[in-house]
Amino acid sequence: GLTQVFSVPYPVWVINTTVIAENQPQYANFQMALCYADTGGIITGEEIVKPGTSYRIVRTANTSMYMIISVRNIDVYRMRLETPKEYYDAYRTV
């Protein structure tokens, strides 16, 4: 599926992904592509085969983006967008 268009205000941030597959873990597959909203060009991507985690560092700020996500034989997946505290403190709006 496709996410809504979003942007992240921090110059460095992370996509922290966890995949849980208990029913058929040997066939579990998670794929994600982070794309520029204006061109559709791929910024980064990830694939997790079987249950596991991924940690992708992204260096794109204030840019319209979306994700394309494909899952197969996955029970649950979680994606967290995180930034180091120093970037959060420097770029947050009060």
Side-chain angles (χ1 to χ4, degrees):
L2 296 173
T3 67
Q4 293 181 338
V5 173
F6 65 95
S7 67
V8 176
Y10 310 109
V12 176
W13 52 284
V14 172
I15 302 171
N16 188 348
T17 306
T18 301
V19 171
I20 299 170
E22 295 177 355
N23 291 325
Q24 294 184 314
Q26 69 275 23
Y27 300 117
N29 186 271
F30 172 91
Q31 296 174 324
M32 181 277 299
L34 177 65
C35 304
Y36 291 109
D38 57 348
T39 66
I42 297 174
I43 300 167
T44 190
E46 65 184 355
E47 180 175 30
I48 302 173
V49 179
K50 300 183 181 179
T53 60
S54 175
Y55 192 82
R56 291 279 185 244
I57 297 172
V58 181
R59 299 182 196 287
T60 302
N62 297 313
T63 302
S64 295
M65 303 171 276
Y66 64 91
M67 292 183 191
I68 304 170
I69 300 171
S70 172
V71 298
R72 191 172 57 241
N73 296 307
I74 301 292
D75 297 315
V76 175
Y77 71 90
R78 292 183 186 93
M79 299 179 76
R80 295 188 323 205
L81 305 183
E82 305 169 348
T83 193
K85 184 168 178 14
E86 58 267 19
Y87 287 108
Y88 175 78
D89 290 341
Y91 291 90
R92 72 178 174 175
T93 56
V94 179

